[in-house]
Amino acid sequence: MAFSPSELILNADGSIYHLNLHPEDIAETIFVVGDPNRVPAISKYFDTLEVQKTKREFVTHTGYLGGKRFSVLSTGIGTGNIDIVMNELDALANIDLSTSEVKEAKKALNIIRIGTCGGLQKDIPVDTILLSETGIGLDGLLHFYDSGHVQNLELRDQLEAKFDFGTGGIRPYAFDASENLMKRFDKNRIRFGTTLTNIGFYGPQGRNLRIPPRFQDLIKSLAQLDLDGRKITNLEMETAAIYGLALLLGHNALSLNVVLANRTRGEFSSNPQQSIDTLIKYGLEHLTAS
């Protein structure tokens, strides 16, 4: 059955609505970044560049590196944008846009976040590269989808039991990274951890400027949590949603972040752009390796 025009929205040229892309514009391996300026910071390392498209905050570059085709796409900040990006990337891969019908043969994309985060543990220095084995979401996005069958329910239940969310209706969810993508990375070179994704940068991440916080000592409380031997290592705004939607849609997802701030120590990187570039080169090195 074909999707109605109000559900699968296309532009006049047949491209998907928000991303402004056609299926042939994307590679099977896609780096997603929050900042549009980070797209050329990655694609400058490509050997050739064949696609450059922009609409709103969504900037896409596709090209070749080491004989392999890659795309880089900026998502903007937060899980709301991730909902758009993940669904529209899947539509490009698995829906025939000319007929608005789902294809019989499904394609699994590799979606790798290259981002930044704040560290929660004292032993994680700024400028550390951290791979998220699991993403825990506090934002609510995945509660709009039937996702229990792909969740890490054990970790979710532990968090609910050990952290008092009060009566505000906050319900965590938890999803794991792609095992196939994780195998490409070495635990001896970078940190593996458990990432908390929240909906905002200030109050939801324990920053309080002029509005009184609802959760007192949020960062300290999160850092001290023991989830059956696992600690929450870092905090950011996209990973858990990427993991959840990827699992529901049949794609492989991985989140690599450089720790620009250590929230427990109150420290920030002295050269964040250099640290981000180191992360970019590290990610490209491992994803281009055969």
Side-chain angles (χ1 to χ4, degrees), residues 2 14 44 49 61 79 86-87 107-108 140 155 207 223 234 275 278:
K44 71 180 182 181
L49 195 58
H61 289 182
T79 56
M86 295 295 290
N87 277 284
K107 182 183 294 184
L155 191 63
R207 292 182 177 92
N234 61 315
S275 296
T278 298

Side-chain angles (χ1 to χ4, degrees), residues 17 28 47 67 95 112 123 138 142 151 184 186 195 275 281:
Y17 185 59
E28 291 190 16
D47 300 321
I95 297 175
I112 300 96
D123 66 340
L138 298 184
L142 266 294
Q151 278 201 50
R184 292 177 171 266
D186 185 355
T195 297
S275 296
K281 289 187 284 190

